[in-house]
Amino acid sequence: MATDWKSIAAQKKSAIEATIPAEWRLETLPADDSILSFPKSSGILTQDELAITESSATDLVRDLAAGNLTSVSVTTAFCKRAALAHQLTNCFHEFFPEIALARAKYLDEYLAENKKPVGPLHGLPISLKDQVRIKGLETTMGYVSWIGKKDTDDSVLTTMLLNAGAVLYVKTSVPQSLMVCETINNIFGRTTNPRNKNWSCGGSSGGEGAIVGIRGGIIGVGTDIGGSIRVPAAFNFLYGLRPSHGRLPYARMANSMEGQETIHSVCGPLTHSIADMRLFVTSVLSQKPWSYDSKVVPMPWREEEEQVIRSKISSKSLTLGYFSCDGEVLPHPPVLRAVQTVVDRLSKAGHTILPWEPYKHPYAVDLANRVYASDGGVDIFAALNASGEPAIPNIADLVNPNLPKMNVNELWEVQLQKWTYQSEYLTKIREFEAKIGKELDAIIAPITPTAAIRHNQFKYYGYASAINVLDFTSVVVPVTFADKAVDVRNEGFEPLGEMDRVVQGEYDPDAYHSAPVAVQIIGRRLTEERIMAIAEEVGRLLGNEITP
Amino acid sequence: MATDWKSIAAQKKSAIEATIPAEWRLETLPADDSILSFPKSSGILTQDELAITESSATDLVRDLAAGNLTSVSVTTAFCKRAALAHQLTNCFHEFFPEIALARAKYLDEYLAENKKPVGPLHGLPISLKDQVRIKGLETTMGYVSWIGKKDTDDSVLTTMLLNAGAVLYVKTSVPQSLMVCETINNIFGRTTNPRNKNWSCGGSSGGEGAIVGIRGGIIGVGTDIGGSIRVPAAFNFLYGLRPSHGRLPYARMANSMEGQETIHSVCGPLTHSIADMRLFVTSVLSQKPWSYDSKVVPMPWREEEEQVIRSKISSKSLTLGYFSCDGEVLPHPPVLRAVQTVVDRLSKAGHTILPWEPYKHPYAVDLANRVYASDGGVDIFAALNASGEPAIPNIADLVNPNLPKMNVNELWEVQLQKWTYQSEYLTKIREFEAKIGKELDAIIAPITPTAAIRHNQFKYYGYASAINVLDFTSVVVPVTFADKAVDVRNEGFEPLGEMDRVVQGEYDPDAYHSAPVAVQIIGRRLTEERIMAIAEEVGRLLGNEITP
């Protein structure tokens, strides 16, 4: 048995490759620019399987519950397409089609026998970021030292999904440490964007971005402590939900810096539509996660909150704020255009959309960075040192073993600063509302300063991480694609600072041509019902949303 | 101007004494055993004023809103009785009848002019623990070094209470550091129990226990990180609510160890009835505190949750657990009798009440103690050293400057242990429910191992602090009084350990005769509506509750 980390990692990688049946393997890979469409022409999926994987989760669960589709057929289709996704983007950490198909068979038999589904996700495959534990499988999270340790218990979310009838079949790639927004680790290497191998799939839920982006998954589960759901959603033209802490269950997931509660990591879905996102959230909430995970607020899905927004949509009376620049880093031209596009569409539809002054975002971003590095990288480097594997280059920006550590009193001071800042932000919202005499329904903003980024170029997390500091609900909505013909370089650019200069310097209209661009829609804590309804309307106005 | 701490403290104490108008001062104090009833015979309050102060908040706000009572008359009555309360128990930190009466006058004029009240607490005096900030007044929290610093902003709770129409008139005593359950500090000395000078009023919201106990206040605001609302409620025959974290606003209150978030301190009311408690909670929630304090969950009062319990009460189908001993310290005979009394009454009323096995409470108590001491007392001793005042003796048990400090990684480990423990407790509840095939509505338990305790004898916080670790909702219900004729010494007592031996050794049937005894009613996180409704029914069965 190998003992050096490289051999251990290589064995693990080979073992995962070997889980792909021979008949689903590709002999030759497609050209770089036809990866996304390759599953259609690969010959590995039947026409029915292609139709299944290109359907919506909402339609699939309806047909599964009615017995019009079997879970075995749906699971087979997604397992096949996931196998292609892995060969095309390198997105697997664990793949277990046999377990999935056995589960699907059980569900089909249950339905036949009981004439009713197990739950609202009956028979539907769900893909999981490799932090979610499944009893009997491994969770490496990309750490070589974690290889070979089988989980002895399910995460609470696993239990909720199984109770709701889901089929689990794959756990997907993350960057070493989870603390960066690209996806690379020393076991599996790099995961690439299914739209272009030169672009990142985002991170840390990058494997979910890639697999759902190429429809090897229909609903993916990610986590987000500084953009890790929203960035891969944005880079793969998907919807992504960062719920507020306490809405969805995180208990018993693996994590970096476990027990760190100053800025909570949260879990949420990446989907092709808000309808599918709502299906996921309502299905999990229907299982009463607060009876299992003490951090979950006992708050069922609030139809009446959704209805408030639907009424405002009907009467064209949404009131929204927006900003394009957070005061630290100016986004690239495609992102500025995306924000403006959303503003224009909402305005044209009759809604009120007003400039929002982002309140002390650079302060929040600095606070987040201090929290991420508060243990001086001790936790992450302990996981690395246990095998001797080196740190991936991206980590050095955020956590490294030379950082000073906080003591407990310093951490409390940061926590007090966070609470004060959050409450000041609420004051700014109340003042804004008092001035305009109306409720502010949401804020539209960039989620990254770039379209789907070139490898090793992700430097600025602030558009995402300021929202994590606020613990606001945020939904990413795909908007458009970079276009070299219109998104020309910002020639008169004067940098706000060094980070701004570096980020803007990365823009290259040719290299980013066709890269996905998104915005995020932000609301106060625990406003998932409202923000998802607004995101749905924005998607509808953009023509990117399936109308429910 | 004095610079030594003793002189500074003495000046502050004199200044507060001087806020009591001459006509409200007592020339001679009553005998020790007639303090509680003394306001009736003092001659300082008129018959109307006695009636007002012995009414309920629920009745008072009804009469105030209808214009049947003026706020000036109600405020005058409570200011007078509070002045007596201070002279009898030493419960003031700040007293400002002139500000209160000016506010009352404004509210009376507002009602006359607008024919409607400002809000649900229109004209009602509310007393505040000296952590709640009021712009322009001092918050010393008993620290000599904090004397002379006027607050520049209101706490969020202050804003909510004022917006709801309340009148603020007094801030009451706390122990130095807030971290003990008796009330003594180097500025004001000791606060005593209005029922017996030899007993503690409890702590840390001890001033609130005393002032509401003797009806110098009708609804008092306390805070609780390890029993600090529930213990003074219990020791003064009051109802006390420790809501779960995030239900009521704490932002901008003063505190010890500010920014400590591992076990959150929470605020809540001490009252004479559940009806008054509900009035307070619904009034604060009606002001949408989540729009001001980022830690407050956007959860209005849920009438439907209350109704679930009311229906079970009607159909005699409550299902409750109970325990008398947490496995670490056996309560004194009066407390064991109180638990049994509640069990008997509920059982006789037709409800189901079953033994509950307290799950790893000693583990939780130890975890709490590690959190309270996690900075090695640095924060508290900084506040002491700034003036040179000494620590009160009680602190040494919990925090002292010789304790080891945790580092950030150790704190994260404790936070992970907490989350795991909390979630395991939920599993125990689910398993219990599965076994009996019914929902567990609440758990009945002691809140302290003793009746209202003799001074300097409070040693064991575990019945309270385990619930803080769980962040469960808890309501204290007054049950009975120690009775030397029935609560005889436990002669066959065999101690579970040293703490058990020490606590049991303190019991003396004569010394505790007539001391108040309570239980707490415990429910899962954020179940205030349900637990208050159960507490109301228990109070009704005991004959201690005003029926709404």
Side-chain angles (χ1 to χ4, degrees):
Chain A
M1 189 184 148
T3 55
D4 65 301
W5 75 261
K6 282 189 185 177
S7 305
I8 295 169
Q11 277 177 5
K12 174 74 185 175
K13 188 168 163 66
S14 300
I16 297 308
E17 307 293 350
T19 58
I20 300 178
E23 61 274 23
W24 300 349
R25 290 197 197 162
L26 297 174
E27 287 178 11
T28 52
L29 292 175
D32 280 5
D33 61 354
S34 57
I35 291 172
L36 192 66
S37 60
F38 185 73
K40 284 192 195 185
S41 57
S42 67
I44 289 184
L45 281 81
T46 65
Q47 286 305 312
D48 282 353
E49 287 165 350
L50 285 170
I52 285 168
T53 54
E54 288 165 23
S55 179
S56 73
T58 314
D59 285 348
L60 290 175
V61 293
R62 188 198 55 219
D63 288 342
L64 283 159
N68 299 332
L69 278 174
T70 65
S71 182
V72 166
S73 65
V74 173
T75 301
T76 302
F78 279 104
C79 284
K80 281 187 176 183
R81 195 154 178 152
L84 299 185
H86 178 64
Q87 294 172 80
L88 296 166
T89 70
N90 193 34
C91 61
F92 281 178
H93 274 197
E94 303 289 332
F95 184 50
F96 35 98
E98 288 181 17
I99 295 173
L101 287 165
R103 161 88 175 156
K105 186 160 169 285
Y106 160 77
L107 291 167
D108 288 338
E109 289 166 0
Y110 181 96
L111 188 82
E113 204 166 304
N114 297 276
K115 312 291 177 213
K116 63 173 188 185
V118 161
L121 298 177
H122 185 97
L124 187 76
I126 302 267
S127 56
L128 305 173
K129 185 181 189 179
D130 189 27
Q131 288 181 260
V132 185
R133 296 188 194 275
I134 300 172
K135 196 173 167 177
L137 299 180
E138 288 184 28
T139 303
T140 66
M141 241 171 57
Y143 285 132
V144 177
S145 60
W146 292 15
I147 292 172
K149 296 172 186 165
K150 290 204 194 309
D151 287 322
T152 54
D153 207 351
D154 287 338
S155 297
V156 166
L157 184 63
T158 304
T159 305
M160 302 293 94
L161 292 174
L162 293 175
N163 288 355
V167 174
L168 309 178
Y169 65 113
V170 67
K171 302 215 296 176
T172 65
S173 55
V174 302
Q176 182 194 75
S177 87
L178 307 177
M179 297 307 291
V180 294
C181 283
E182 299 188 33
T183 296
I184 182 167
N185 64 59
N186 290 325
I187 305 174
F188 300 98
R190 186 188 291 284
T191 308
T192 54
N193 192 305
R195 290 170 188 269
N196 187 321
K197 284 209 167 206
N198 297 315
W199 301 334
S200 173
C201 59
S204 65
S205 315
E208 286 306 312
I211 201 168
V212 179
I214 198 168
R215 291 187 168 274
I218 189 99
I219 296 177
V221 173
T223 71
D224 192 318
I225 194 173
S228 287
I229 288 168
R230 290 166 291 159
V231 173
F235 286 4
N236 290 283
F237 209 71
L238 298 172
Y239 292 82
L241 168 65
R242 191 214 93 91
S244 291
H245 169 64
R247 198 70 204 260
L248 294 176
Y250 206 105
R252 293 203 294 275
M253 286 198 202
N255 206 350
S256 281
M257 305 192 283
E258 263 196 298
Q260 187 280 105
E261 298 188 346
T262 309
I263 299 176
H264 273 99
S265 179
V266 299
C267 62
L270 293 86
T271 63
H272 286 279
S273 70
I274 294 292
D276 285 2
M277 183 182 285
R278 196 178 285 121
L279 171 67
F280 178 88
V281 176
T282 57
S283 296
V284 173
L285 293 181
S286 74
Q287 304 306 311
K288 304 191 176 178
W290 48 85
S291 298
Y292 297 75
D293 177 350
S294 63
K295 289 191 180 179
V296 178
V297 172
M299 185 181 274
W301 182 261
R302 297 163 301 176
E303 193 70 49
E304 67 279 13
E305 286 291 301
E306 188 179 333
Q307 212 45 56
V308 169
I309 296 301
R310 288 199 190 278
S311 299
K312 290 187 184 187
I313 290 169
S314 299
S315 60
K316 302 184 184 310
S317 62
L318 287 176
T319 304
L320 303 156
Y322 77 96
F323 65 93
S324 296
C325 180
D326 68 354
E328 185 82 2
V329 167
L330 183 72
H332 287 184
V335 177
L336 297 176
R337 179 167 60 83
V339 173
Q340 194 57 49
T341 300
V342 172
V343 169
D344 291 346
R345 296 288 169 90
L346 283 161
S347 185
K348 199 175 153 197
H351 301 295
T352 302
I353 179 151
L354 301 162
W356 171 258
E357 181 73 40
Y359 176 69
K360 285 171 53 177
H361 280 227
Y363 173 85
V365 173
D366 174 65
L367 194 152
N369 289 338
R370 284 186 285 143
V371 171
Y372 301 152
S374 55
D375 76 336
V378 164
D379 179 272
I380 289 167
F381 280 88
L384 299 183
N385 294 341
S387 72
E389 67 170 314
I392 59 170
N394 313 49
I395 289 185
D397 298 343
L398 278 183
V399 285
N400 74 64
N402 302 318
L403 285 170
K405 297 177 181 63
M406 283 189 200
N407 66 34
V408 164
N409 295 95
E410 289 163 341
L411 186 71
W412 292 352
E413 178 61 28
V414 170
Q415 292 182 158
L416 187 58
Q417 289 169 357
K418 176 196 68 175
W419 189 13
T420 303
Y421 173 70
Q422 291 173 332
S423 297
E424 285 173 0
Y425 214 104
L426 294 179
T427 300
K428 293 292 166 190
I429 293 175
R430 290 201 320 279
E431 288 172 355
F432 187 90
E433 291 178 332
K435 206 171 99 186
I436 62 173
K438 281 194 284 192
E439 190 178 27
L440 179 67
D441 294 310
I443 297 168
I444 315 278
I447 171 61
T448 55
T450 71
I453 204 164
R454 289 193 287 193
H455 298 308
N456 297 325
Q457 297 304 321
F458 201 101
K459 311 278 189 201
Y460 185 65
Y461 300 79
Y463 284 93
S465 66
I467 307 310
N468 296 78
V469 171
L470 290 165
D471 192 27
F472 280 1
T473 299
S474 172
V475 174
V476 160
V477 177
V479 177
T480 186
F481 300 91
D483 182 344
K484 63 185 174 185
V486 293
D487 300 320
V488 297
R489 273 202 184 81
N490 185 339
E491 293 298 350
F493 175 73
E494 302 230 353
L496 294 161
E498 178 57 15
M499 180 63 87
D500 194 26
R501 191 191 62 72
V502 168
V503 171
Q504 195 67 221
E506 158 63 11
Y507 186 56
D508 175 332
D510 288 308
Y512 280 92
H513 185 67
S514 300
V517 191
V519 297
Q520 62 181 331
I521 301 183
I522 304 159
R524 282 187 286 214
R525 271 186 78 208
L526 297 163
T527 54
E528 289 75 20
E529 293 87 344
R530 290 188 182 220
I531 300 304
M532 283 163 60
I534 295 170
E536 189 165 49
E537 175 64 3
V538 171
R540 198 188 62 80
L541 291 170
L542 292 165
N544 296 335
E545 171 61 286
I546 298 158
T547 309
Chain B
M1 190 184 144
T3 53
D4 64 300
W5 76 260
K6 283 190 183 173
S7 305
I8 294 168
Q11 278 178 6
K12 175 72 186 177
K13 187 168 164 64
S14 300
I16 297 307
E17 307 292 351
T19 57
I20 300 178
E23 61 273 24
W24 300 348
R25 291 197 196 162
L26 298 174
E27 287 179 12
T28 50
L29 294 176
D32 280 5
D33 61 354
S34 58
I35 290 171
L36 192 67
S37 60
F38 185 73
K40 283 192 194 182
S41 59
S42 67
I44 290 183
L45 280 79
T46 64
Q47 285 305 313
D48 281 353
E49 287 165 349
L50 286 171
I52 285 168
T53 52
E54 287 165 23
S55 178
S56 74
T58 313
D59 285 347
L60 290 176
V61 294
R62 187 198 56 218
D63 288 342
L64 283 160
N68 299 334
L69 278 174
T70 65
S71 181
V72 166
S73 66
V74 174
T75 301
T76 301
F78 278 102
C79 283
K80 280 187 176 182
R81 194 153 178 154
L84 300 186
H86 178 63
Q87 293 172 81
L88 297 166
T89 69
N90 192 35
C91 62
F92 281 178
H93 274 197
E94 303 289 331
F95 184 51
F96 35 98
E98 289 182 16
I99 295 173
L101 288 164
R103 160 89 175 156
K105 187 160 169 285
Y106 160 78
L107 291 167
D108 288 338
E109 289 167 359
Y110 181 96
L111 188 82
E113 205 167 303
N114 297 276
K115 313 289 177 215
K116 62 170 188 187
V118 160
L121 297 177
H122 185 97
L124 187 76
I126 302 267
S127 56
L128 306 172
K129 185 180 189 180
D130 190 27
Q131 288 181 260
V132 185
R133 296 188 194 276
I134 300 173
K135 198 174 168 175
L137 300 180
E138 288 183 27
T139 304
T140 66
M141 241 171 56
Y143 284 134
V144 177
S145 61
W146 291 14
I147 292 172
K149 295 171 185 166
K150 289 202 195 310
D151 287 324
T152 55
D153 207 352
D154 287 337
S155 296
V156 166
L157 184 62
T158 305
T159 305
M160 302 293 93
L161 292 174
L162 294 175
N163 288 354
V167 174
L168 308 177
Y169 65 112
V170 67
K171 301 214 298 176
T172 64
S173 54
V174 303
Q176 182 193 75
S177 87
L178 308 176
M179 297 307 292
V180 293
C181 282
E182 300 189 34
T183 296
I184 182 166
N185 64 60
N186 288 324
I187 304 175
F188 301 98
R190 185 187 292 283
T191 309
T192 53
N193 192 305
R195 291 171 188 268
N196 188 321
K197 283 208 169 211
N198 297 316
W199 300 333
S200 173
C201 59
S204 66
S205 313
E208 286 306 313
I211 201 168
V212 180
I214 198 170
R215 289 187 170 274
I218 189 98
I219 296 178
V221 173
T223 70
D224 192 319
I225 195 173
S228 287
I229 289 168
R230 290 165 292 158
V231 173
F235 286 4
N236 291 283
F237 209 71
L238 298 171
Y239 291 82
L241 168 66
R242 192 214 93 92
S244 292
H245 169 63
R247 197 72 205 261
L248 293 176
Y250 205 105
R252 294 203 292 276
M253 286 198 201
N255 206 350
S256 281
M257 306 192 282
E258 263 197 298
Q260 187 278 106
E261 299 188 345
T262 308
I263 299 177
H264 273 98
S265 179
V266 299
C267 63
L270 295 85
T271 63
H272 286 277
S273 71
I274 293 292
D276 285 2
M277 184 182 285
R278 196 178 285 122
L279 171 67
F280 178 88
V281 176
T282 57
S283 297
V284 173
L285 293 181
S286 74
Q287 304 306 311
K288 303 189 177 180
W290 49 85
S291 298
Y292 296 75
D293 177 350
S294 62
K295 290 192 180 179
V296 179
V297 172
M299 186 181 273
W301 182 261
R302 296 163 301 176
E303 193 69 48
E304 66 279 12
E305 286 291 302
E306 188 178 331
Q307 212 46 57
V308 169
I309 296 301
R310 288 199 190 280
S311 299
K312 290 188 184 188
I313 290 169
S314 300
S315 59
K316 303 188 185 307
S317 61
L318 286 176
T319 305
L320 303 155
Y322 76 97
F323 65 92
S324 296
C325 180
D326 68 354
E328 184 83 2
V329 167
L330 182 72
H332 286 186
V335 176
L336 297 177
R337 179 168 60 84
V339 173
Q340 193 57 48
T341 301
V342 172
V343 169
D344 291 346
R345 297 289 169 90
L346 283 161
S347 186
K348 198 175 155 197
H351 301 295
T352 303
I353 179 151
L354 302 163
W356 170 258
E357 181 73 39
Y359 176 69
K360 283 170 59 174
H361 280 227
Y363 173 85
V365 174
D366 175 66
L367 194 152
N369 289 338
R370 285 186 286 144
V371 171
Y372 302 151
S374 55
D375 77 336
V378 164
D379 179 273
I380 289 166
F381 281 88
L384 300 183
N385 295 341
S387 72
E389 68 169 313
I392 59 169
N394 313 48
I395 289 186
D397 297 343
L398 277 183
V399 286
N400 73 65
N402 302 317
L403 285 170
K405 297 176 181 64
M406 282 188 201
N407 66 34
V408 164
N409 294 96
E410 289 164 341
L411 186 70
W412 292 352
E413 179 60 27
V414 170
Q415 291 181 159
L416 188 57
Q417 288 168 358
K418 176 195 68 174
W419 189 13
T420 303
Y421 173 70
Q422 291 173 331
S423 297
E424 285 172 0
Y425 215 102
L426 294 178
T427 300
K428 292 292 166 190
I429 293 176
R430 290 201 321 278
E431 289 172 354
F432 187 89
E433 291 177 332
K435 206 171 99 187
I436 63 172
K438 282 195 283 190
E439 190 177 27
L440 179 67
D441 294 311
I443 297 168
I444 316 278
I447 171 61
T448 55
T450 71
I453 205 165
R454 289 195 286 194
H455 298 307
N456 298 324
Q457 297 303 322
F458 201 101
K459 311 279 188 203
Y460 185 65
Y461 301 79
Y463 283 93
S465 66
I467 306 310
N468 295 77
V469 170
L470 290 165
D471 192 28
F472 279 1
T473 299
S474 172
V475 174
V476 159
V477 177
V479 176
T480 187
F481 300 91
D483 182 344
K484 62 185 175 187
V486 291
D487 300 320
V488 297
R489 273 203 185 82
N490 185 341
E491 294 300 346
F493 175 73
E494 301 232 353
L496 294 161
E498 178 57 16
M499 179 64 85
D500 194 25
R501 191 191 63 73
V502 169
V503 170
Q504 195 66 222
E506 159 62 12
Y507 185 55
D508 175 331
D510 288 308
Y512 280 93
H513 184 68
S514 300
V517 191
V519 297
Q520 62 181 330
I521 301 182
I522 304 159
R524 283 188 286 215
R525 271 186 76 207
L526 296 163
T527 54
E528 288 75 19
E529 293 87 345
R530 289 188 182 218
I531 300 304
M532 283 163 61
I534 295 169
E536 190 165 47
E537 176 65 2
V538 171
R540 197 187 63 78
L541 291 171
L542 292 166
N544 296 335
E545 171 62 286
I546 299 159
T547 310

